[in-house]
């Protein structure tokens, strides 16, 4: 069964500092990988996705992520964090069946931004 | 921009009562999903729906749960007899299938008292 691990439950960074959120997945075949962000009381907004091709993917709000098959990782990065980035971030993996994509989520990383 | 909408945003119900959570998926999408997030925990898959039938369900989705697409636009989740442990945020999502991502609604917070 597929699974996702986000080893960092909480991360605090200063505004303007760089950010890396870790995500490791377990899945036998080629995964579809996603990062979603959830602000307090809000739904899940897609930041970026990886299906195939270039392993460095760009997303919204200045985020990027790199798929590393050898490490089973899909870490999320941002070079300079803004206070509005404070939220919870979820990594997710889907079966690459081409049909409907059931998502398996990690436990999330809560990001706090210090001004 | 098209979006998934869910109603109500918050529902409080007494234990043992039936609740129906409503969702309007994005109109040209083919796959519909329900997920839930118990407070402080991760988002969990409940069920997926395609071509007017359940395509996959998790072990959480027992006989107390059902889904329906009654009129071609709405997608509902019914919990027949709510339990305290059903208290959670319920998210509806839809996708076009294939190499497309799922779009999530804002969620319905269900509180069972």
């Amino acid at each position: 069964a597929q699974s996702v691990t986000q080893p960092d439950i909480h991360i605090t960074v200063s505004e303007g500092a760089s950010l890396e959120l870790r995500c490791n997945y377990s899945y036998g075949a080629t995964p579809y990988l996603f990062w979603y962000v959830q602000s307090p009381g809000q739904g899940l907004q897609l930041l970026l996705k990886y299906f195939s091709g270039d392993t460095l993917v760009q997303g919204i709000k200045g985020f990027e992520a790199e798929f590393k098959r050898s490490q089973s990782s899909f870490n999320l990065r941002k070079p300079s964090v803004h206070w509005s980035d404070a939220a919870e971030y979820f990594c997710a993996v889907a079966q690459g069946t081409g049909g409907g994509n059931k998502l398996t989520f990690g436990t999330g990383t809560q990001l706090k931004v210090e001004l | 921009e098209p979006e998934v909408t869910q109603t109500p945003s918050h529902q409080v119900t007494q234990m043992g009562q039936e609740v129906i959570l409503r969702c309007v998926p994005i109109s040209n999408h083919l796959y519909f999903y329900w997920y839930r997030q118990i407070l402080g925990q991760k988002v969990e898959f409940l069920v997926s729906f395609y071509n007017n039938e359940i395509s996959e369900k998790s072990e959480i989705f027992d006989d107390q749960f059902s889904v329906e697409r009654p009129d071609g636009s709405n997608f509902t989740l019914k919990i027949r007899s709510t339990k305290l442990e059903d208290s959670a945020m319920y998210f509806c999502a839809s996708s076009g299938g294939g190499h497309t991502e799922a779009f999530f609604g804002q969620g319905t917070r269900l509180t069972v008292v």
Side-chain angles (χ1 to χ4, degrees):
Chain A
Q2 57 202 42
S3 66
V4 177
T5 301
Q6 293 180 249
D8 304 305
I9 299 173
H10 299 278
I11 282 186
T12 300
V13 299
S14 299
E15 191 176 37
S18 64
L19 171 71
E20 183 169 29
L21 303 183
R22 296 182 290 165
C23 172
N24 292 95
Y25 68 90
S26 172
Y27 181 62
T30 301
Y32 293 167
L33 295 159
F34 306 83
W35 276 98
Y36 284 86
V37 60
Q38 184 182 30
S39 298
Q42 300 297 308
L44 295 160
Q45 182 183 24
L46 180 72
L47 284 176
L48 47 77
K49 63 192 179 196
Y50 171 80
F51 289 137
S52 64
D54 193 346
T55 56
L56 183 63
V57 293
Q58 304 295 322
I60 62 171
K61 305 185 181 185
F63 286 93
E64 66 177 27
E66 186 170 12
F67 170 58
K68 293 185 177 179
R69 185 185 298 275
S70 61
Q71 298 176 20
S72 298
S73 69
F74 188 57
N75 294 347
L76 181 72
R77 300 194 294 250
K78 186 169 184 178
S80 177
V81 169
H82 188 263
W83 65 266
S84 60
D85 293 326
E88 187 151 25
Y89 292 79
F90 292 94
C91 182
V93 63
Q95 299 168 207
T97 62
N101 296 318
K102 162 195 158 186
L103 293 169
T104 298
F105 285 86
T107 49
T109 297
Q110 186 73 47
L111 174 65
K112 180 179 175 183
V113 180
E114 291 182 333
L115 300 176
Chain B
E1 183 175 322
E3 60 180 13
V4 177
T5 56
Q6 291 185 242
T7 55
S9 57
H10 192 184
Q11 179 148 3
V12 181
T13 188
Q14 289 200 326
M15 189 169 52
Q17 295 295 305
E18 174 184 287
V19 295
I20 297 176
L21 309 183
R22 303 182 191 279
C23 169
V24 179
I26 294 172
S27 63
N28 61 347
H29 281 183
L30 303 175
Y31 293 84
F32 315 109
Y33 314 84
W34 285 101
Y35 291 81
R36 79 171 185 190
Q37 184 183 30
I38 295 171
L39 189 63
Q41 298 185 24
K42 66 178 179 181
V43 179
E44 301 173 289
F45 169 79
L46 291 178
V47 65
S48 59
F49 192 85
Y50 170 72
N51 200 26
N52 285 318
E53 61 184 23
I54 291 174
S55 52
E56 188 172 357
K57 61 183 180 180
S58 72
E59 61 274 10
I60 302 169
F61 194 88
D62 61 21
D63 292 344
Q64 296 288 3
F65 292 88
S66 62
V67 290
E68 194 176 35
R69 189 156 161 81
D71 55 12
S73 62
N74 290 283
F75 180 51
T76 62
L77 174 69
K78 182 192 292 186
I79 308 175
R80 192 176 323 147
S81 177
T82 50
K83 302 187 278 286
L84 294 176
E85 54 264 39
D86 293 327
S87 295
M89 180 76 92
Y90 288 81
F91 291 106
C92 174
S94 67
S95 71
H99 290 195
T100 61
E101 65 269 28
F103 290 83
F104 284 78
Q106 295 293 92
T108 293
R109 179 162 297 286
L110 176 66
T111 303
V112 182
V113 297

